[in-house]
Amino acid sequence: MIRVVLVDDQALFRTGIRMLVASQGDLEVVGEAPDGREAIEVVRATRPDVVLMDIRMPVMDGIEATRQIVALPVPAGADAPRVIVLTTFDLDEAALRAIRAGASGFLLKDSDPEFLLAAIRTVHAGTAVIAPSATRELVARLDRTRSPVPPEFGELTAREHGMFLLAARGLSNAEIAAGEFVSEATVKTHISRVLAKLGLRDRVQLVVYAYEHGLVERHPGG
């Protein structure tokens, strides 16, 4: 059972999402909060797997709440909750800041219900999600504000460097495995090492990192 917490200052919106999530046999809403500060307490008390987080709320916004939630101590053997940010805009600066704060992706509030449900399961499984309509805007915005390549990028091995570039271009573990003639487990191991070396939480942050530093264009050969 995937445990979900809903965070939004609009009670009607929370009700709709709660009914949608509750209609699924593998999903369960274990808590709700109307603002970021209360969300932190609810997450601490309920230990959810996934948090659906609104960005703009009173008391504490979703960006700061996300930052604090991903930093909460996690019991031994447990996984940290993953945050999906919900926004009404395709891509605004707040959504990008939320990703940098540790969110595992973001969706539009008017996303198709089936896409939202799939996103919860995808994030719970360890993969990040980005609203499809916003991917091009994300890349364009990061490309305009690129910064120097950090020194830790040079610490990647040749194999890790290649895996980084493939993941940055949006390929899944299965697609990378097929193209590189290795197992998905091998790909997962390499990607995990890349994330650890670069201090990144997940693939969304990896994509942001790649475009933020112009790495996809600078190393087109893989």
Side-chain angles (χ1 to χ4, degrees):
M1 185 70 73
I2 301 174
R3 297 161 55 81
V4 181
V5 160
L6 311 177
V7 185
D8 195 289
D9 61 333
Q10 297 181 22
L12 186 59
F13 182 79
R14 294 201 311 272
T15 298
I17 298 299
R18 182 175 65 248
M19 293 174 64
L20 174 66
V21 171
S23 71
Q24 305 298 299
D26 62 331
L27 305 179
E28 176 187 12
V29 175
V30 295
E32 298 181 29
D35 60 69
R37 183 175 298 168
E38 188 171 327
I40 296 168
E41 298 308 315
V42 171
V43 168
R44 186 179 282 118
T46 61
R47 295 292 177 187
D49 300 303
V50 177
V51 180
L52 297 180
M53 177 77 72
D54 187 21
I55 287 183
R56 293 169 178 80
M57 296 178 292
V59 185
M60 179 186 290
D61 64 26
I63 299 170
E64 181 57 29
T66 295
R67 182 177 293 109
Q68 294 193 33
I69 284 172
V70 300
L72 288 173
V74 180
D79 293 323
R82 294 183 173 271
V83 180
I84 300 176
V85 170
L86 302 176
T87 176
T88 54
F89 304 98
D90 275 1
L91 180 67
D92 56 13
E93 182 60 28
L96 190 53
R97 285 163 53 208
I99 290 173
R100 288 172 172 147
S104 293
F106 72 92
L107 300 177
L108 303 183
K109 281 193 170 184
D110 61 356
S111 294
D112 182 85
E114 290 303 318
F115 185 77
L116 173 61
L117 294 172
I120 294 172
R121 297 181 178 106
T122 298
V123 164
H124 177 254
T127 303
V129 294
I130 298 178
S133 61
T135 303
R136 183 176 300 176
E137 291 182 52
L138 172 64
V139 171
R141 176 168 298 193
L142 293 172
D143 191 54
R144 290 194 300 269
T145 59
R146 65 175 55 177
S147 54
V149 179
E152 66 266 17
F153 186 73
E155 298 176 6
L156 298 183
T157 65
R159 190 60 162 165
E160 290 166 351
H161 179 267
M163 293 289 179
F164 171 92
L165 293 177
L166 294 171
R169 292 173 181 141
L171 275 67
S172 67
N173 286 353
E175 291 169 333
I176 295 175
E180 298 295 302
F181 303 103
V182 296
S183 69
E184 286 189 49
T186 297
V187 174
K188 185 175 182 180
T189 297
H190 282 302
I191 296 297
S192 295
R193 288 174 180 166
V194 168
L195 295 176
K197 285 185 176 182
L198 301 182
L200 305 174
R201 178 178 170 84
D202 52 34
R203 282 171 174 261
V204 164
Q205 290 195 341
L206 186 150
V207 172
V208 169
Y209 184 100
Y211 282 97
E212 194 171 38
H213 300 298
L215 293 167
V216 175
E217 290 83 3
R218 292 182 190 182
H219 302 280

